[in-house]
Structure formats: structure tokens, C-alpha cells
Amino acid sequence: MLCAGKGTRMRSEKAKVLHPILGKPLCFYPLMRALELGASPVVPVVGHQAGEVERSVRDLFAAAPLRFALQKEQRGTADAVRSAEEALKDFKGRVLILYGDVPLVRRETLAALATAHEQGGGVLSLVSTRLEDPTGYGRVIREGGLVKRIVEHKDCSPEERLVRECNAGIYLVDSSFLWAALANIKSTNAQGEFYLTDLVEMAASQGPVPAIEADFNETAGVNDRVELAARAKDLQLRINAWHMRNGVSLADPATTYIEEGVTIGPDTEIAPGVSLSGATVVGRQVTIGQGCVLHASSVADGTTLKPYTVLEEARVGERCILGPFSRLRPGTDLAEEVHLGNFVETKKARLGRGTKANHLAYLGDAKIGSGVNIGAGTITCNYDGVNKHVTELGDGVFIGSDSQLVAPVKVGDGAYVGAGTTVTKDVPSGSLAVSRSPQVNKEGWVERNKARLKKSAESGPAKSDKVSAG
Ligand code: UD1
Ligand code: CA
């Protein structure tokens, strides 16, 4: 996998292959395809920002059979592949050559390439693509229908320039042929580079060179950020179409963002402007309202997320109703039929079956039982400025509105907390806790107060009174 390129036109401090596309570095996609096909080992050839590229790729594919090769100086695609010889010296078999900046290549196309290679019986097979405007690409030159060689755009004769079939840069080559042939490649061409494409003519002299034709967008690389966005759009629509074919309804696929690796069950309906990223898992018959953002979260069957609900590393059980505007932060774990309404924030909170917090609440570091009713304005005071503490609410607890639960604190099964209470001590099960001061009604106070104010105004108010009255 060639990943050594500088990517000058990205105008970036970051290596080109590390620029994200749908949440993952560009090179994630071709690497993933190679690994899915069982390629082993996989050798990323790194050069520009080699250390960063290697680190990122190792993080992405921790358990994969990776061996990195360094191309010190970029002297052309043949030189890049030669850099991998050492890493592959004990490998005998077919070598798949891919670019790290071509993200949309499909596994099916690579599998078709492998099949064509087997059936053709030659030493090299390649992927080609037909372009309206082939400017800049290597042309696939055929004689009597058979691939004979590839000529780079800059080296083409006027007739060769008319050829629309282009080289995609994806090859399958027998190792027995590859290394010996690479050693014979010269840099006597328009660009003074070692062209990998020179292999094709050598291979064609030994046997057939099958070419699998693929769609342009599958073989298109990324040279600048405009192309990066174009590939991202293609990938987005491809992923979305795949989910729709698997039974997921997307009201507006153009504004639905779903990363590779997300799974969604059938009969789930997704409104416009929804984003599903990371290892998110959505069940069947889930309704996801407009503007919801789900990252690395799971949502079980039959749950409804009303608009603008945000989940991050959260687990949501079956038949819950969340939102609009609920925010579930990491460590949230909801059992079935939980209801969370607008402006309810949860973090490291476990909520039992059927528990409800329908308006304005913060539930952090909380273990909450089933059938609990949490009133508007309830806050778990989990932080004392140094440490975090846990609030525990038993089954069937009722928390009145505008209550604070100063953790660590426990409220036993079935206990009630009166509205406006600041709970600082454990509440035994079955009891009522109220901490607000008793209410006093002063009858006739309003009239008496008005009269007093009027009188003091007549007797000449002090300057400070005027200011406070104003
Ligand atoms: C290459 C092909 C061309 C094909 C086109 C498809 C050659 C000589 N030409 O041209 O036939 O139509 O791809 O996109 O192979 N790279 C390295 N080290 C190097 C040189 C390149 O790692 O020394 C990497 C680049 O980062 C890039 C890939 O190889 O990912 C292709 O290199 P690039 O220079 O873009 O090749 P093209 O001139 O486009
Ligand atoms: Ca290129």
C-alpha cells in the first residue's frame, strides 16, 4: 500500500493519507479492504511524515499483520514498491498493490481482480477505468484486445492520448515476477521517475494481463481538499444506499452521515441531518429524529429519539423515548422504557426500567432504580471540587422538582423527596424527605407596603433610595 506521498496540494501539515474522510483517515479504507480479503502481511510504504502515518495506522489496526516499509526519497511508484521488498522477502504468492489515497475501492472489485488473475494464468493483473477526460492518467494500450503496456500521459503519442481506458494503479502481481522485474525498471521517461507501470509490458511479454474495469469513483484518488470532499460525498451516498437496501429508511440520504462500521436494524427510520459515528449500533424499528448525533453508542429495538438528541458512548435499551434535546454522555446506561425529555443530561448514570426524567435535569454518577420519577430541575451534585461521588436512588423513588441530591447519598426504595429539597443525608425507604423552610403568608402585606413606600416618597427620599428605585 503506497502511502509515501507528500500530498503537496492538500496544503497541510498533516500527511495526506491521514486526512479524515467520514471520520477515518483516507488510508483506513484501502487497508481495511486488503485485510478483509485476507492479505497478510500488509505493508504500508511510508515516507512523508512516516512516523505519524505508522503510529496512526497501528492505532487503527492494532491486531492486524502489518509490516511498515520506508521509502526515503520519492522516486516513483516502482521505487515505492521496491521499498517493500525487504518486508516481503519471505513471502511467496500474489502481491496486491494499492494506493493509500484511493479510498473507495470496493472489496468486490479486488476479489474480481483475484479471480481474473487465477483464470488468466499470467503474472500480473490490473484494474482500469474509462474516463471522459483521461488527462494525467496512464493509458492502457491494447493490441488485438489484449493489454500490452501502459503509457503515462506525459509520455503518450497523440494517438495514445485518445485512449480513454486508464490505469487505476491497482495491481495483483506474482512475487516471483515482481521483484526481479522491478530491478530492471529504468527512469528514462518524461518525469525521470521509476514507473511501476513499466511492469505491464514485461508481464504482457510472458502471458495475458487481465484488466478489470471499475467505476471512476472507485479508483479516484485524492489530491486536494476539493477531491477529498468529493470522495467523502461518494462514500456517504454509497454507505447510505447500502443501509437503505438493508431495510433502513433515510428521509434525506444527502444529509444523513453514517460512518463505516455503524450497524442499523431493519425498519429503522432516520430523519434529515442525523449523524451516526464510531461503533454505533442501532436496533430494529428505531426512530431517529432530525439532527440527532450518535457516537459510539447503542440503541435497542423500538426506541424513539426525538429531534436533536445527542448520545456519546451511551447504551439505550428497548422502547425508550428520548428528547427532544436530551444529552447522554459517556457511561449512560438506560434499561427499557426509560423516558428522558428536553435538557436532561446524563453521565455515568444507570437508569432502571420505566424510569422518567422528562424535563431539565442533570444525572451524573448515578445508580437509579426502575420506575423512578425525577422531577424538573433535579440535579445530582456529584462533584465536591475534588472528587466525584455517587447518588443511588432505589426502585419507585419520587424526586420532586428542583431538588438537589448532594452525593454521596442514597434514597431508599419507594421514598419521596419533596420539591425544592436539598438532600444531604440518606433517605430511608418508604419515607418523605423535605428540607425547605415552612411557608409563611402575610395577609394584607402588599397594600401596607405600598402605603409605606408612598409615605417615604412624600417626605423626600434619600438619594440612594432614588437610585435603587430606578
Ligand atoms: C499513477 C500511475 C498512472 C495511473 C495513476 C492513477 C505510475 C507511473 N503511474 O500515476 O498510470 O493512471 O497513478 O492514479 O505509476 N507514491 C509513493 N512514492 C512515490 C511515488 C508515488 O508512495 O515515489 C504514491 C503516491 O503517494 C500515490 C501513489 O503512489 O498515493 C500514486 O502516485 P502518483 O504520483 O499520484 O502517480 P500518478 O502520477 O498519478
Ligand atoms: Ca495521483
Side-chain angles (χ1 to χ4, degrees):
M1 168 109 21
L2 309 192
C3 297
K6 186 161 182 339
T8 311
R9 281 175 284 166
M10 296 298 284
R11 295 182 179 270
S12 177
E13 309 235 314
K14 187 157 54 188
K16 175 162 79 176
V17 293
L18 296 184
H19 277 262
I21 152 167
L22 263 75
K24 298 185 175 71
L26 255 180
C27 63
F28 165 87
Y29 299 93
L31 279 164
M32 190 69 190
R33 299 295 87 85
L35 290 165
E36 283 169 355
L37 284 169
S40 178
V42 172
V43 184
V45 175
V46 294
H48 187 67
Q49 301 199 350
E52 264 133 308
V53 175
E54 176 167 348
R55 232 170 293 128
S56 302
V57 171
R58 283 198 193 280
D59 280 355
L60 281 170
F61 298 101
L66 298 173
R67 286 183 203 167
F68 287 81
L70 183 67
Q71 186 193 19
K72 288 201 190 77
E73 208 187 320
Q74 284 193 254
R75 298 189 300 167
T77 46
D79 180 65
V81 175
R82 268 185 85 166
S83 313
E85 184 172 2
E86 181 61 24
L88 289 171
K89 66 173 188 290
D90 54 359
F91 175 83
K92 300 266 171 298
R94 296 167 302 168
V95 179
L96 174 65
I97 301 172
L98 294 165
Y99 295 162
D101 61 358
V102 176
L104 270 78
V105 61
R106 292 181 311 133
R107 185 170 39 167
E108 290 80 353
T109 301
L110 300 177
L113 180 66
T115 305
H117 190 78
E118 292 304 320
Q119 289 170 352
V123 293
L124 183 149
S125 308
L126 58 90
V127 176
S128 69
T129 186
R130 216 165 279 275
L131 300 179
E132 277 300 306
D133 176 12
T135 308
Y137 286 84
R139 307 298 205 282
V140 177
I141 307 300
R142 293 175 181 264
E143 283 168 19
L146 298 175
V147 174
K148 283 293 163 200
R149 61 184 184 279
I150 288 170
V151 183
E152 290 306 292
H153 182 85
K154 286 184 178 153
D155 301 294
C156 276
S157 67
E159 301 82 66
E160 286 168 338
R161 288 212 169 164
L162 299 176
V163 172
R164 294 255 178 86
E165 189 183 4
C166 296
N167 171 34
I170 300 168
Y171 319 81
L172 198 59
V173 193
D174 288 354
S175 58
S176 54
F177 164 78
L178 178 62
W179 311 117
L182 279 174
N184 291 323
I185 289 179
K186 310 252 173 340
S187 60
T188 47
N189 51 54
Q191 303 185 81
E193 286 183 3
F194 294 92
Y195 287 171
L196 186 59
T197 44
D198 289 356
L199 284 182
V200 175
E201 187 166 14
M202 300 182 210
S205 71
Q206 297 190 17
V209 174
I212 291 288
E213 204 174 309
D215 255 17
F216 168 68
N217 87 358
E218 232 189 290
T219 63
V222 169
N223 291 307
D224 59 26
R225 294 179 200 243
V226 175
E227 290 176 0
L228 184 71
R231 299 292 89 74
K233 196 71 200 169
D234 289 343
L235 184 58
Q236 177 195 7
L237 296 179
R238 182 200 282 179
I239 290 172
N240 290 353
W242 185 83
H243 285 290
M244 290 188 277
R245 293 202 179 91
N246 282 297
V248 180
S249 285
L250 305 185
D252 181 13
T255 65
T256 308
Y257 175 99
I258 306 175
E259 289 183 7
E260 180 170 319
V262 170
T263 67
I264 311 171
D267 286 322
T268 283
E269 294 181 8
I270 300 180
V274 167
S275 167
L276 308 178
S277 62
T280 288
V281 178
V282 177
R284 299 163 168 261
Q285 297 176 3
V286 171
T287 302
I288 304 183
Q290 179 151 340
C292 287
V293 177
L294 280 66
H295 178 72
S297 295
S298 68
V299 177
D301 300 351
T303 280
T304 296
L305 306 183
K306 293 185 181 173
Y308 305 102
T309 293
V310 176
L311 275 62
E312 187 186 351
E313 293 171 37
R315 285 173 33 122
V316 177
E318 293 181 14
R319 299 179 304 284
C320 290
I321 301 177
L322 310 183
F325 300 103
S326 302
R327 179 177 180 208
L328 282 62
R329 293 171 48 206
T332 296
D333 186 353
L334 309 184
E336 309 87 335
E337 292 164 14
V338 169
H339 293 189
L340 300 181
N342 37 242
F343 309 109
V344 173
E345 174 181 341
T346 60
K347 185 219 74 175
K348 271 196 195 161
R350 218 170 61 207
L351 276 65
R353 183 185 188 118
T355 284
K356 296 187 173 77
N358 276 326
H359 339 259
L360 305 164
Y362 172 61
L363 306 171
D365 301 289
K367 292 179 190 154
I368 300 174
S370 57
V372 173
N373 203 310
I374 294 166
T378 297
I379 295 171
T380 54
C381 308
N382 58 332
Y383 187 50
D384 60 13
V386 181
N387 295 306
K388 298 282 171 71
H389 302 284
V390 174
T391 298
E392 289 183 48
L393 308 181
D395 293 339
V397 160
F398 180 98
I399 307 290
S401 297
D402 193 28
S403 296
Q404 301 86 45
L405 300 151
V406 182
V409 75
K410 291 182 192 174
V411 180
D413 290 348
Y416 270 52
V417 170
T421 295
T422 301
V423 181
T424 52
K425 294 185 296 206
D426 289 355
V427 182
S429 62
S431 51
L432 167 69
V434 208
S435 72
R436 55 181 186 253
S437 48
Q439 182 172 332
V440 180
N441 293 339
K442 298 187 176 180
E443 280 179 36
W445 179 88
V446 175
E447 281 307 317
R448 285 201 302 281
N449 189 48
K450 274 187 194 158
R452 187 176 61 82
L453 291 174
K454 199 173 166 207
K455 199 173 156 198
S456 71
E458 282 162 6
S459 66
K463 212 176 181 186
S464 60
D465 284 344
K466 264 189 184 166
V467 171
S468 66

